[in-house]
Amino acid sequence: MKLYSYWRSSAAYRVRIALNLKQLSFETIPVHLLKDGGQQHSAEYQQLNPNQLVPTYVDGEFSLNQSLAIIEYLDEVYPEPALLPEDPEAKAQVRSLALDIACDIHPLNNLRVLQYLTGPLRLNDDQKTEWIYHWLHTGFNALEQRLQKTAGEFCYGDNITLADLCLVPQMYNALRFKLDTLEYPTISRIYHHCQQLAGFALAAPEQQSDAQL
Ligand SMILES: N[C@@H](CCC(=O)N[C@@H](CS)C(=O)NCC(=O)O)C(=O)O
């Protein structure tokens, strides 16, 4: 099993957590998102993933992009521990929380979006930061309200789910941008709790072989 990954990529971080929780050993193939103009744009990587984004999961002839699709695939093939509840309503709620993060928060502050803002659209650094904070606060405000209704120890009740695998990297990313997270006590509590668990801790950006500290 191979994971094309970048240490600071939130989407790759989600998959690393899943692989760790399921105790699957995998080889990390680093794709440096900044070096050489971004190795995700190389012809070789484009063959593997035409979206030019990480992660890409490869197992033999099987290759898959999109972190949530990868995690759900792993969850079906390696069911323990389950990352989605069985009950249809609970499962839908967990997916909905995960998608709030993965579809409505994460993409707006992705590298290629920020590069387009400061490149062709000529935003300066302060304007870029305002953009990042605006979309993080918009998403976190909604997420905090939802979690106040759904959370137990984790995002949805007391079991780790797909939603936690999305929350942790997104919060890591927000802290990296020095977002004031005091307004988000539930998000913060779940984040700090997850950080204590080995599967999450080992997936952290700083623990990766390609980390540049
Ligand atoms: N929806 C995709 C998002 C993948 C994604 O945006 N990856 C980012 C890193 S977190 C990336 O490769 N960015 C490179 C770029 O923007 O050029 C997933 O969940 O896998």
Side-chain angles (χ1 to χ4, degrees):
M1 256 179 223
K2 293 181 188 162
L3 187 70
Y4 290 77
S5 171
Y6 178 64
W7 64 294
R8 270 183 167 163
S9 155
S10 314
Y13 190 175
R14 294 172 197 149
V15 178
R16 295 196 300 257
I17 300 168
L19 289 163
N20 291 344
L21 291 172
K22 292 178 178 293
Q23 303 196 351
L24 298 168
S25 59
F26 63 99
E27 183 190 353
T28 298
I29 316 270
V31 179
H32 200 298
L33 298 186
L34 299 167
K35 215 192 272 178
D36 312 323
Q39 293 173 349
Q40 70 276 30
H41 305 304
S42 72
E44 193 190 345
Y45 189 70
Q46 275 190 59
Q47 285 288 320
L48 190 64
N49 184 343
N51 290 295
Q52 302 171 46
L53 299 168
V54 291
T56 306
Y57 170 86
V58 176
D59 190 5
E61 296 297 302
F62 180 66
S63 159
L64 187 64
N65 73 308
Q66 286 296 350
S67 60
L68 268 51
I70 299 168
I71 294 167
E72 290 216 23
Y73 164 78
L74 291 172
D75 209 35
E76 288 192 27
V77 178
Y78 307 97
E80 293 298 327
L83 297 172
L84 286 168
E86 273 184 29
D87 172 68
E89 286 185 10
K91 190 188 293 189
Q93 291 294 353
V94 167
R95 284 194 175 123
S96 161
L97 287 165
L99 292 170
D100 276 353
I101 299 170
C103 291
D104 293 347
I105 302 179
H106 171 266
L108 286 158
N109 291 342
N110 197 5
L111 178 67
R112 63 184 180 179
V113 171
L114 301 180
Q115 285 175 336
Y116 195 75
L117 291 175
T118 54
L121 297 186
R122 297 172 183 277
L123 262 62
N124 62 34
D125 279 349
D126 286 346
Q127 290 170 312
K128 180 180 92 171
T129 304
E130 191 181 324
W131 169 282
I132 292 170
Y133 283 0
H134 174 76
W135 293 115
L136 281 173
H137 280 305
T138 301
F140 274 26
N141 266 317
L143 184 64
E144 176 65 28
Q145 285 181 52
R146 291 201 61 198
L147 291 176
Q148 287 187 5
K149 296 200 178 111
T150 62
E153 222 177 307
F154 298 101
C155 287
Y156 194 85
D158 292 325
N159 292 321
I160 295 171
T161 65
L162 177 66
D164 302 291
L165 276 56
C166 293
L167 177 141
V168 167
Q170 192 60 60
M171 183 64 164
Y172 171 89
N173 176 277
L175 294 173
R176 185 158 81 83
F177 287 120
K178 301 193 183 347
L179 188 86
D180 181 358
T181 55
L182 275 178
E183 297 159 59
Y184 312 116
T186 317
I187 297 175
S188 298
R189 174 177 62 74
I190 296 167
Y191 173 76
H192 290 293
H193 180 52
C194 289
Q195 296 290 62
Q196 309 302 314
L197 308 175
F200 286 84
L202 285 172
E206 289 74 18
Q207 300 302 320
Q208 306 314 302
S209 57
D210 58 328
Q212 291 172 319
L213 305 172

